[in-house]
Amino acid sequence: MKKKVIFDFVRYCINDDRPLPESAQTIDWTIMMLWAQTQGITGVVYRGIEKSGNALNIPLKLLMKWMACARTLQKQNILLDKQCVEIVSKFQNDGFETCILKGQGNAAFFPNPLLRTTGDIDMLVTNRSQREVIKYVKAHNPEEEAAYHHIDWGVYNGFDVEVHYRAAFFFNPVSNRRLQKWLKTHLDVCQQVLPEDIGSIPVPNWEYNVIFQLAHIYNHILHQGIGLKQIIDYYYLLKSNERGHSEIDHQLLRYLGMEKVAEAMMWVMHKVLGLPEQYLIAPLDEKRGKRIMRDIMKGGCFGVSDKETHHADNQFKQNVLRFKRDWRMLRYFPSECLWEPVFRGSHFLWRLANNH
């Protein structure tokens, strides 16, 4: 099945202004389901099927399977929403103010929040130091080890939880210092109402989310791979801007070292997903945008299908794969790729100092 046919339908799924494309009649729905699962967008594509009514020639058995997947997603989202409310309350009762990063905060921007593929719970502690957060988590789970930006809480009622003291980071020390300063001074926590009268969760303001999530995407592009799940999350985040125009200064992106990845992502947003121009935060970079799309199609969600990124059976081999990926991406994003080996060395020392 041609990529054009796939993305014609994806654009229809995420944009209510688009008519059902004629090419949808040529879709192989078995292939489409497998591809959607790999990319983490089964619910997104199912919404397009729902919108089309009876206009698509989908085998009944496969349609029933897709409906079952959608019902499972809805149940998982409701359960995860409840767990987010509960763990936020737990942390608050212990004196830790938090907000939810990505995940269920992003789901709220979807036309149907219950059809977003669920993940883990990422929390940012906003009123305590790194040392206090690590001490608190280790008191509950002494086996967990802290990393530079977060420490795993472990499993909470069936869901993995990451507790952050830094929302995101860069390998380049200059860019990282600037990013940490910006994130520290531009966070404004607001309440996001959840569906099904579950309650609300604290989430970052729009500008903070745009910068933080772009930094997070940048890291995944370079070092783990990324799928359409994360890209469509960002699409809906940008489109949620109620002002209808970007409040992100292009000079800020350059200052933070994010100019190249922002321009590449805007090409993907506009040319591949059809995001209207008024929501773009940077000019378009076709060369880098196409490079990102090749990785998306090859690796799927978190790059799990890319043997050049994953599938190492020990840490040494994983590091070799990581350095090979740095080399392949060097011409597109040189700053982060060149600084990664230095960061890995300093991070090893950081872990020794903060996990005693």
Side-chain angles (χ1 to χ4, degrees):
M1 189 164 58
K2 294 182 178 179
K3 286 191 291 186
K4 183 181 184 304
V5 174
I6 292 174
F7 283 101
D8 280 348
F9 192 71
V10 169
R11 284 189 290 271
Y12 167 76
C13 294
I14 63 177
N15 192 333
D16 288 340
D17 296 331
R18 286 182 177 269
L20 181 66
E22 292 183 7
S23 61
Q25 303 302 329
T26 68
I27 292 175
D28 182 321
W29 290 101
T30 300
I31 293 175
M32 177 64 92
M33 172 168 268
L34 292 173
W35 178 80
Q37 290 171 336
T38 300
Q39 295 292 339
I41 59 168
T42 305
V44 171
V45 176
Y46 178 73
R47 182 175 179 269
I49 294 172
E50 278 190 316
K51 280 202 310 172
S52 69
N54 297 318
L56 299 172
N57 186 27
I58 305 177
L60 180 59
K61 185 176 180 179
L62 189 59
L63 180 60
M64 296 299 290
K65 183 178 178 181
W66 218 309
M67 292 173 66
C69 289
R71 285 196 297 269
T72 299
L73 272 181
Q74 291 167 346
K75 292 177 182 177
Q76 288 174 340
N77 271 287
I78 290 171
L79 181 58
L80 185 52
D81 282 344
K82 291 178 179 178
Q83 300 312 315
C84 283
V85 172
E86 185 175 318
I87 198 168
V88 164
S89 177
K90 172 181 172 48
F91 270 65
Q92 188 173 38
N93 290 339
D94 289 340
F96 291 79
E97 298 295 330
T98 63
C99 63
I100 298 295
L101 301 175
K102 307 179 282 117
Q104 299 313 97
N106 276 343
F109 303 130
F110 281 54
N112 185 343
L114 299 181
L115 287 180
R116 179 185 180 271
T117 299
T118 56
D120 55 12
I121 299 174
D122 290 89
M123 309 173 64
L124 175 67
V125 176
T126 61
N127 71 331
R128 295 296 189 93
S129 69
Q130 167 190 289
R131 185 181 298 275
E132 289 175 306
V133 175
I134 293 173
K135 182 179 179 180
Y136 173 68
V137 173
K138 282 181 174 288
H140 288 79
N141 194 341
E143 301 301 317
E144 295 296 347
E145 285 200 359
Y148 177 72
H149 64 306
H150 79 275
I151 181 170
D152 289 335
W153 176 272
V155 178
Y156 183 84
N157 292 345
F159 293 97
D160 290 327
V161 178
E162 292 182 356
V163 184
H164 291 249
Y165 23 86
R166 296 180 180 91
F169 67 97
F170 291 139
F171 294 142
N172 182 311
V174 175
S175 297
N176 188 49
R177 185 165 59 249
R178 291 173 176 178
L179 177 68
Q180 300 310 324
K181 181 180 179 181
W182 190 93
L183 292 175
K184 186 176 181 180
T185 57
H186 286 78
L187 176 62
D188 182 16
V189 177
C190 49
Q191 291 293 318
Q192 178 67 61
V193 177
L194 298 171
E196 304 294 317
D197 295 322
I198 290 171
S200 64
I201 54 174
V203 296
N205 51 299
W206 185 83
E207 287 83 2
Y208 186 98
N209 253 331
V210 168
I211 294 298
F212 144 64
Q213 292 194 38
L214 183 60
H216 179 76
I217 287 170
Y218 194 13
N219 191 279
H220 273 278
I221 288 171
L222 293 177
H223 309 295
Q224 292 176 287
I226 196 164
L228 274 181
K229 175 186 175 182
Q230 293 77 28
I231 302 299
I232 289 176
D233 272 3
Y234 204 63
Y235 170 94
Y236 279 126
L237 171 63
L238 293 178
K239 205 171 183 182
S240 72
N241 182 5
E242 296 178 353
R243 289 178 291 275
H245 63 280
S246 173
E247 295 290 330
I248 302 296
D249 190 337
H250 194 237
Q251 293 297 322
L252 171 64
L253 297 171
R254 182 178 293 116
Y255 173 76
L256 295 175
M258 302 170 71
E259 178 184 19
K260 290 182 174 62
V261 70
E263 292 175 355
M265 281 293 294
M266 291 310 100
W267 184 87
V268 174
M269 292 291 130
H270 185 58
K271 295 296 185 180
V272 179
L273 298 183
L275 183 68
E277 290 184 3
Q278 67 263 31
Y279 298 109
L280 303 178
I281 62 172
L284 311 185
D285 185 332
E286 181 178 4
K287 181 181 73 172
R288 291 182 175 85
K290 286 184 175 180
R291 181 65 177 87
I292 290 173
M293 280 307 303
R294 286 199 296 271
D295 273 12
I296 289 171
M297 296 302 291
K298 181 180 181 181
C301 196
F302 294 112
V304 294
S305 299
D306 186 353
K307 294 182 180 180
E308 294 179 353
T309 301
H310 291 268
H311 307 292
D313 54 12
N314 61 59
Q315 190 59 47
F316 175 77
K317 290 181 180 179
Q318 184 61 49
N319 285 332
V320 170
L321 289 177
R322 183 181 289 118
F323 290 139
K324 284 183 177 180
R325 185 172 178 84
D326 282 339
W327 181 254
R328 293 195 301 273
M329 300 298 284
L330 181 63
R331 61 180 291 201
Y332 300 98
F333 305 105
S335 176
E336 284 294 282
C337 293
L338 288 171
W339 276 104
E340 182 182 10
V342 178
F343 177 87
R344 292 292 171 190
S346 63
H347 187 229
F348 173 76
L349 298 177
W350 185 97
R351 293 174 76 108
L352 289 178
N354 288 276
N355 284 292
H356 51 75

